Structure formats: C-alpha cells, structure tokens
Amino acid sequence: MPSSPESTHPFDESAEEIRRKERELAEAEGKLVRRERIVNRLRILQMILSLVALATGNPAYRWAARCAQWAMERFRDSE
C-alpha cells in the first residue's frame, strides 16, 4: 500500500511537533532545577550569615542575611 506524500506529511509534522514540545519541556525542567538549586544555596547562605550575625553581633551579617532572604524570595516569585 503506497502512501502519498500528503498523507505522511501531517504525521511528520505531528512527530516534529511532539519532539519540539518534549525539548521545550526538558528545557523548562532544567530551568526549574537550576532555580531550585539557586534557592537552596541562598537558603544555606542566609542561614550561615544569620548564625554568624548571632554569634558576632555584627549588623553587617544581619543585613547580608536579609539580602540573601530577599534574593531567595525574588527567585521564588519569578517561578
């Protein structure tokens, strides 16, 4: 049963469309993983700075911990 070029063309387009959507999904998942990693690192930094601020009483560390918290919130909001 020979198939005409017109009958295979929509199938090829749908397969290409599926590949494109899978690629976009993989890219979106990659971006999400990177954002989660950044937020986790910011959380660790914020905790360390808070502990140092508590131990030393230096207000600069408190300010830096607040900056890390602010950056973490910004990353969460951008999702």
Side-chain angles (χ1 to χ4, degrees):
M1 296 191 312
S3 58
S4 66
E6 292 122 14
S7 67
T8 60
H9 189 66
F11 175 76
D12 291 339
E13 276 186 326
S14 65
E16 181 61 34
E17 184 70 18
I18 290 170
R19 283 192 294 273
R20 185 183 62 78
K21 287 182 180 181
E22 288 175 347
R23 186 173 52 249
E24 289 175 358
L25 181 60
E27 289 172 1
E29 288 174 349
K31 286 180 182 179
L32 183 60
V33 168
R34 282 189 296 276
R35 284 183 184 202
E36 288 176 1
R37 193 178 308 134
I38 290 170
V39 167
N40 288 339
R41 289 177 180 168
L42 285 169
R43 183 178 296 118
I44 292 168
L45 177 64
Q46 189 262 337
M47 289 172 54
I48 291 170
L49 290 170
S50 294
L51 289 172
V52 171
L54 184 63
T56 64
N58 189 335
Y61 289 110
R62 262 195 318 257
W63 178 82
R66 280 191 228 129
C67 289
Q69 178 69 32
W70 176 83
M72 195 170 36
E73 290 171 1
R74 296 285 296 200
F75 267 98
R76 285 184 188 148
D77 292 343
S78 68
E79 294 174 357

